[in-house]
Amino acid sequence: DPNESILSSQGLFRMPRSVQAVYLKPLKRKAVHGIPCCDLQLRSYNVRNVEFLADFALRAAYYLRLPALGPVPLPRIIERWTVPRSNFVNKKSQENFERITLRRLIQVQDGHPETVEIWLAFLRKHAYYGVGMKANVWEHEGLGVGKTMDVSLENIKKSLQPRWAHFGRRKNMETSERVYGILDNELFRRNPDAPLSGSAV
C-alpha cells in the first residue's frame, strides 16, 4: 500500500484496521436471494443520533453476516401546535411549536431468524439515547406447517395439564386440607347453616 510506505518512511505508525474502519463507511454483504426478513425503523428528533445508530446497526449486521440494505431516509413527520400564551382578552398572543421526527429504514435480507433475533437483542442492549426502534420481522415456513403446529399444541397441552389440575391452589395445599377438615367436622354435619367456631376454621 503506498500510504503505508509513506507512513513508514516518515517514521509514523499505521493505525490498526479496526480503528481505520471507524472512519470508513460500514461494510455490507450482498443478499443472494433477496428475501426480506426484517425491517428496522429508527426514529429520532436529532440527525446525529439516528445516523450514529444506523451506522452502528449496519456494522453489527455485517459482523453477524447479515445482508443489510440502507439506511434509507423515510419522509419526515412534521407536527405543529399553536398554543395561546395567556387566556381571555390576549387570545391573539399565541405561540407556535414544531416537532420534526427523522426516520431511517434498514432492511435485512436472507437472514436466519435466530441471527436476526440476536442482532435485534444486541441493538436493544446498546440502544442510543433519543432514538426509538421499531422492527417488523418475517419468518418463512415450509408447506404443511399447520400439522406441525397442531402437534406442538398437543404437546403444550400435555405439559400444562398437571399445572392446570392444581390451578388456584397453593403449593403447600393447606387451604384444601382445611376445607376437608371443615366438611368432616361433626358440627357441620349436624347443622350446615350454623356458624363454625374459630378453632374449627
Side-chain angles (χ1 to χ4, degrees), residues 33-39 107-111 136-140:
H33 306 288
I35 300 174
C37 59
C38 178
D39 278 352
Q107 186 180 70
V108 177
Q109 298 179 352
D110 300 344
N136 296 329
V137 183
W138 295 281
E139 292 187 7
H140 303 278

Side-chain angles (χ1 to χ4, degrees), residues 6-22:
I6 293 172
L7 291 175
S8 60
S9 64
Q10 294 177 355
L12 301 176
F13 294 101
R14 180 183 61 83
M15 289 190 299
R17 295 290 185 186
S18 58
V19 178
Q20 287 183 2
V22 177

Side-chain angles (χ1 to χ4, degrees), residues 125-187:
K125 181 179 179 181
H126 301 282
Y128 199 65
Y129 69 94
V131 183
M133 293 183 289
K134 183 180 75 170
N136 296 329
V137 183
W138 295 281
E139 292 187 7
H140 303 278
E141 298 287 346
L143 296 176
V145 66
K147 297 179 180 178
T148 59
M149 291 176 65
D150 293 339
V151 172
S152 61
L153 180 61
E154 292 297 329
N155 294 336
I156 292 174
K157 285 183 178 179
K158 291 179 181 178
S159 62
L160 291 178
Q161 189 172 4
R163 295 186 181 182
W164 285 110
H166 301 291
F167 182 74
R169 300 181 182 179
R170 297 180 182 177
K171 292 182 179 179
N172 51 14
M173 302 293 290
E174 291 181 358
T175 306
S176 59
E177 293 176 358
R178 292 175 62 186
V179 170
Y180 289 136
I182 293 172
L183 295 176
D184 291 338
N185 194 353
E186 295 182 3
L187 297 176

